[in-house]
Amino acid sequence: AQSVTQLGSHVSVSEGALVLLRCNYSSSVPPYLFWYVQYPNQGLQLLLKYTTGATLVKGINGFEAEFKKSETSFHLTKPSAHMSDAAEYFCAVSRYTGTASKLTFGTGTRLQVTL
Amino acid sequence: DGGITQSPKYLFRKEGQNVTLSCEQNLNHDAMYWYRQDPGQGLRLIYYSQIVNDFQKGDIAEGYSVSREKKESFPLTVTSAQKNPTAFYLCASSTQGQGGYNEQFFGPGTRLTVL
């Protein structure tokens, strides 16, 4: 079975500071990994995804994530936080069952950005 | 513009009533999904469908039903058998492909409150 653990349900950073949101996964097969962002009372928007190839993945809004197989991690980073980054972030791992692709989500990390 | 629409945005239900949440997509995606979101629990899969007239139970299907009569539409019915239906419901869709790397696109969600 696959699972995702997001360390820290709430993270607070100052505007301009580094953003680091942690995600560890468990998977018996090579994983496909995703980061989504959710603004209040809205749906989820894809930030970035790792499938195969380059382990450093760049996404939208200046975010990037690095797939580290040895650490089973896929942490999300952004060099300089902006007020507009305040949202909830979800890490997810995908599994193909033979008939369908299924996503398993972490419990989310709420990012607060302060002045 | 292609996308996913969900209606209504807010829905109130009395105990013992069935309600149906609408999900429509014009992305020409084969696969569609319903998730339930509760605070601190991330997203949990209710039902998914890979093709018209076929659907499978997800992790928390009890008390819910779906239909997939058209490729564009995947309505979810919350029945009176669902013991705790108050939640935020998200619909998603994706292309269908082997491997599990397909991005899921999300609608804006429906917030259901049981009075």
Side-chain angles (χ1 to χ4, degrees):
Chain A
Q2 298 189 124
S3 66
V4 171
T5 301
Q6 291 185 241
L7 296 175
S9 59
H10 290 83
V11 170
S12 182
V13 300
S14 300
E15 191 174 34
L18 171 71
V19 175
L20 171 61
L21 304 182
R22 300 179 184 274
C23 174
N24 289 88
Y25 70 89
S26 171
S27 177
S28 58
V29 297
Y32 299 117
L33 296 159
F34 302 79
W35 275 101
Y36 283 87
V37 61
Q38 184 181 34
Y39 298 99
N41 292 311
Q42 294 186 25
L44 276 67
Q45 179 184 9
L46 181 71
L47 279 176
L48 49 81
K49 66 179 180 181
Y50 169 77
T51 54
T52 58
T55 56
L56 182 62
V57 181
K58 295 187 183 298
I60 63 171
N61 301 339
F63 284 94
E64 63 183 35
E66 187 171 11
F67 171 64
K68 292 188 176 180
K69 184 178 178 180
S70 61
E71 299 177 8
T72 61
S73 69
F74 190 55
H75 301 332
L76 182 70
T77 60
K78 182 175 180 178
S80 177
H82 191 272
M83 295 297 289
S84 61
D85 295 326
E88 190 153 22
Y89 293 79
F90 292 94
C91 182
V93 61
S94 179
R95 176 174 69 95
Y96 185 67
T97 66
T99 57
S101 297
K102 297 176 67 175
L103 283 176
T104 299
F105 286 87
T107 53
T109 297
R110 185 169 300 278
L111 177 65
Q112 180 182 20
V113 182
T114 59
L115 289 172
Chain B
D1 267 344
I4 301 175
T5 57
Q6 292 187 242
S7 61
K9 186 171 179 65
Y10 297 96
L11 185 58
F12 298 90
R13 187 195 96 173
K14 293 181 180 179
E15 285 192 23
Q17 287 182 335
N18 292 355
V19 290
T20 297
L21 283 59
S22 170
C23 177
E24 304 277 333
Q25 55 98 0
N26 61 4
L27 300 168
N28 199 32
H29 287 168
D30 288 308
M32 297 187 74
Y33 310 80
W34 273 106
Y35 293 91
R36 170 181 172 138
Q37 184 178 18
D38 296 281
Q41 296 193 45
L43 279 72
R44 294 180 288 168
L45 183 64
I46 305 173
Y47 269 97
Y48 60 100
S49 168
Q50 296 296 298
I51 196 169
V52 174
N53 292 323
D54 188 41
F55 46 83
Q56 288 79 39
K57 293 181 179 180
D59 301 318
I60 56 165
E62 184 176 354
Y64 300 97
S65 65
V66 293
S67 62
R68 187 85 186 277
E69 297 177 0
K70 298 187 300 181
K71 186 176 183 178
E72 303 78 21
S73 179
F74 192 41
L76 173 74
T77 296
V78 184
T79 75
S80 56
Q82 169 50 235
K83 298 305 180 189
N84 184 21
T86 294
F88 191 51
Y89 291 87
L90 288 159
C91 178
S93 70
S94 72
T95 55
Q96 183 176 332
Q98 295 185 2
Y101 49 79
N102 306 81
E103 171 191 351
Q104 291 187 17
F105 294 80
F106 284 80
T110 292
R111 187 167 297 280
L112 173 63
T113 303
V114 174
L115 303 174

